[in-house]
């Protein structure tokens, strides 16, 4: 079971939905929930010619966002009765990355919102940090409502390291599911060195008490990301579990096409590991 869950609150518009999901999951897992907001240093990356008035307004907005997120988290947590705590850190200088990492590396699971800015090459800083933290990340889409998470789960499987990490990181959720579908798209023909078959994963997960089935399909010329989204729709999945692929830094080169596509177009919550 997950015993420590951290929910990262950044955008005030999504704070209530993220907190509600995190509280529900913490209740099911009997976990301690940490609400986290790391506020950036207003002076980092600001051009020298920016006016003092601009800086003052930016600082006020940073403080207002932190206060709003704290109020949302505390109010919802108090109403739920869940064991919860609030953490606010004001990053000093370029210390935003170190601050976020320090809080999330000792969590069993991290929850955050769907990243913004994937249309441009820079990616999303919070997402970049979290996916470099070594912890499984549960992303909540910015559109839609998700009252119950993980009744019908799709596990994207290619037999590789990242996919294996994600599948076993998700076991506490998979054990609660009514159905877990392991899907291998365009499976390799013949023996493939180092790639574990979907059937082997199904047997291993079944030993954990997971109600699991293995499936195979072909993309038929469709992009793999779209094939996954179609399967989610066709089988009514409410959670996607997948490995995160690509280079270690978003700003150097965005993650592989499937990962990026899912992060841009997710229709259900997505648990990723790498």
């Amino acid at each position: 079971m997950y015993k420590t869950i951290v929910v990262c609150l950044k955008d005030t518009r999504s704070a209530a939905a993220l907190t509600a999901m995190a509280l529900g999951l913490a209740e099911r897992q009997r976990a301690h929930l940490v609400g986290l907001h790391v506020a950036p240093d207003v002076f980092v990356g600001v051009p020298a010619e920016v006016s003092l008035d601009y800086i003052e307004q930016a600082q006020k907005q940073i403080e207002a966002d932190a206060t709003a997120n704290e109020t949302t988290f505390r109010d919802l947590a108090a109403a739920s009765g869940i064991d919860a705590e609030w953490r606010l850190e004001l990053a000093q200088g370029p210390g935003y990355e170190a601050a976020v990492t320090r809080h999330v590396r000792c969590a069993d699971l991290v929850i955050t919102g769907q990243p913004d800015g994937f249309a441009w090459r820079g990616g999303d800083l919070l997402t970049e940090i979290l996916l470099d933290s070594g912890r499984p990340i549960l992303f909540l889409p910015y559109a839609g409502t998700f009252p119950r998470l993980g009744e019908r789960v799709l596990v994207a499987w290619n037999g590789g390291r990242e996919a294996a990490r994600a599948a076993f990181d998700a076991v506490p959720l998979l054990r609660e599911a009514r159905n877990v579908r392991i899907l291998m798209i365009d499976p390799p023909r013949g023996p493939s060195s180092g790639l574990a078959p979907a059937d082997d994963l199904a047997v291993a997960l079944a030993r954990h008490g997971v109600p699991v089935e293995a499936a195979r399909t072909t993309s038929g010329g469709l992009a793999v990301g779209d094939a996954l989204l179609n399967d989610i729709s066709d089988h009514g999945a409410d959670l996607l579990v997948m490995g995160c692929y690509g280079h270690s830094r978003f700003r150097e080169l965005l993650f592989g096409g499937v990962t990026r596509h899912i992060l841009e177009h997710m229709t259900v919550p997505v648990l990723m590991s790498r």
Side-chain angles (χ1 to χ4, degrees):
M1 299 180 78
Y2 301 129
K3 287 303 181 182
T4 304
I5 299 173
V6 174
V7 56
C8 292
L9 302 180
K10 179 182 177 185
D11 189 338
T12 57
R13 295 170 296 180
S14 61
L18 281 169
T19 300
M21 168 179 276
L23 286 167
L25 189 54
E27 182 178 22
R28 287 161 52 189
Q29 295 287 315
R30 300 175 185 174
H32 177 75
L33 178 64
V34 177
L36 174 65
H37 180 84
V38 177
D41 190 328
V42 69
F43 291 101
V44 174
V46 175
E49 63 271 15
V50 169
S51 69
L52 180 60
D53 182 64
Y54 175 89
I55 292 175
E56 289 177 347
Q57 292 301 316
Q59 184 62 43
K60 288 180 180 178
Q61 187 61 58
I62 287 173
E63 293 171 356
D65 288 348
T67 300
N69 283 337
E70 179 176 2
T71 298
T72 297
F73 180 84
R74 288 190 183 278
D75 287 350
L76 291 173
S80 73
I82 300 299
D83 180 25
E85 67 173 291
W86 173 253
R87 296 181 190 174
L88 169 64
E89 182 157 345
L90 306 178
Q92 299 295 313
Y96 181 82
E97 178 175 350
V100 174
T101 302
R102 182 170 62 253
H103 289 285
V104 303
R105 279 225 168 118
C106 293
D108 296 305
L109 179 69
V110 181
I111 300 174
T112 192
Q114 181 178 2
D116 295 325
F118 267 80
W120 61 286
R121 200 172 184 274
D124 177 89
L125 179 59
L126 181 60
T127 304
E128 176 185 340
I129 294 167
L130 293 178
L131 288 173
D132 223 19
S133 69
R135 310 312 304 139
I137 314 298
L138 179 62
F139 291 99
L140 178 67
Y142 56 74
T145 57
F146 309 94
R148 175 69 179 178
L149 172 75
E151 289 194 349
R152 301 184 64 84
V153 183
L154 176 64
V155 177
W157 182 249
N158 66 357
R161 181 186 72 84
E162 292 86 353
R165 174 76 180 270
F168 287 96
D169 279 346
V171 163
L173 286 173
L174 302 184
R175 293 180 66 178
E176 296 182 339
R178 289 195 293 114
N179 175 261
V180 175
R181 174 179 166 86
I182 301 170
L183 181 64
M184 200 166 197
I185 299 174
D186 298 328
R189 296 179 180 178
S192 298
S193 177
L195 298 181
D199 289 339
D200 287 357
L201 177 63
V203 171
L205 292 179
R207 294 190 182 105
H208 286 276
V210 175
V212 62
E213 61 174 318
R216 300 165 185 79
T217 189
T218 57
S219 58
L222 197 65
V224 172
D226 285 326
L228 285 173
L229 294 173
N230 285 350
D231 198 85
I232 288 169
S233 177
D234 291 344
H235 291 87
D238 59 14
L239 174 66
L240 171 64
V241 174
M242 63 179 289
C244 183
Y245 308 96
H247 291 243
S248 62
R249 308 292 290 183
F250 272 98
R251 59 173 60 98
E252 292 175 5
L253 182 65
L254 281 176
F255 282 157
V258 177
T259 303
R260 179 181 178 184
H261 189 80
I262 293 298
L263 286 173
E264 287 178 331
H265 303 289
M266 63 175 69
T267 54
V268 297
V270 179
L271 189 149
M272 285 189 176
S273 296
R274 59 173 307 216

